């Protein structure tokens, strides 16, 4: 299975230039995500960039898919035209992601589309911010930024109790939490 690393957003909430290049533990977040994918069963990772992230496109050694920068959903649609389904999508601002966690996600999903979430209390306990929640089987959960875009119309939700998925770096506070946990 291929992976698309979504690295084309403006990152204005973080306020540190191109967000994928923000360093956690001295390593750009996009490099940390790519390392996790290299350490997993993923066959190939492509980095999805936009006109807002030219330095990221120049920085990465993985193949780049340039998109117009019309927003996450539109840019994902452009990137999906370059890969076969199913495909793993992961945001570039999950610096604590590991290959072992990616493999657990792949083992738990098949060819169906899957949204990976964590229980809402997990990021709160870690001190990370939460921008959006959803309800899954009566429980409040937080989407992690990791998904499988499947080859079928069926959609699943996978809830994982995994701290490395609970820190999505969107704000300076999240960067501090990631630094402490890295």
């Amino acid at each position: 299975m291929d992976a698309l690393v979504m690295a084309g957003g403006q990152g204005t909430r973080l306020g540190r230039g191109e967000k994928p290049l923000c360093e956690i533990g001295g390593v750009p977040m996009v490099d940390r995500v790519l390392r996790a994918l290299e350490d997993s069963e993923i066959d190939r990772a492509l980095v999805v960039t936009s006109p807002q992230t030219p330095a990221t496109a120049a920085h990465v050694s993985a193949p780049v898919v340039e998109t117009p920068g019309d927003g996450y959903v539109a840019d994902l649609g452009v990137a999906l035209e370059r890969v076969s389904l199913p495909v793993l999508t992961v945001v570039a601002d999950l610096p604590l992601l590991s290959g072992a966690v990616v493999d657990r996600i792949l083992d738990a999903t098949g060819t169906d589309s899957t949204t990976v979430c964590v229980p809402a209390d997990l990021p709160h306990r870690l001190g990370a911010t939460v921008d959006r929640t959803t309800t899954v089987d009566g429980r409040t959960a937080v989407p992690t930024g990791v998904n499988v875009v499947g080859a079928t119309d069926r959609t699943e939700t996978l809830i994982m109790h995994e701290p490395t998925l609970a820190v999505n770096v969107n704000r300076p506070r999240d960067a501090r939490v990631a630094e402490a946990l890295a």
Side-chain angles (χ1 to χ4, degrees):
M1 180 184 301
D2 288 339
L4 296 172
V5 179
M6 302 302 292
Q10 294 180 359
T12 55
R13 293 175 289 180
L14 187 58
R16 294 189 183 178
E18 290 186 28
K19 185 163 62 164
L21 297 178
C22 173
E23 292 186 359
I24 301 296
V27 179
M29 289 193 293
V30 69
D31 292 350
R32 288 174 157 275
V33 170
L34 287 169
R35 184 178 313 141
L37 296 172
E38 288 171 8
D39 292 344
S40 75
E41 297 297 319
I42 289 294
D43 297 319
R44 174 180 69 147
L46 295 96
V47 179
V48 181
T49 62
S50 75
Q52 288 90 2
T53 55
T56 299
H59 170 82
V60 297
S61 58
V64 171
V65 176
E66 180 70 27
T67 64
D70 293 334
Y72 184 92
V73 173
D75 290 351
L76 177 59
V78 170
L80 288 173
E81 294 173 2
R82 299 291 232 1
V83 294
S84 298
L85 301 182
V87 63
L88 182 79
T89 66
V90 59
V91 292
D93 51 8
L94 277 179
L96 304 178
L97 186 66
S98 71
V101 169
V102 171
D103 287 343
R104 285 184 26 226
I105 292 168
L106 296 177
D107 288 345
T109 60
T111 59
D112 296 334
S113 292
T114 305
T115 300
V116 181
C117 295
V118 294
D121 67 323
L122 184 54
H124 290 299
R125 280 197 325 255
L126 296 171
T129 62
V130 171
D131 289 327
R132 186 170 66 95
T133 62
T134 187
T135 302
V136 180
D137 297 328
R139 298 182 314 180
T140 304
V142 177
T144 63
V146 179
N147 301 283
V148 173
V149 177
T152 69
D153 291 335
R154 187 177 156 125
T155 302
E156 301 286 331
T157 302
L158 174 64
I159 296 182
M160 297 182 73
H161 299 268
E162 181 54 59
T164 63
L165 293 172
V167 182
N168 185 310
V169 177
N170 287 315
R171 294 177 177 80
R173 172 180 167 182
D174 303 321
R176 290 189 298 273
V177 171
E179 281 283 348
L181 296 173

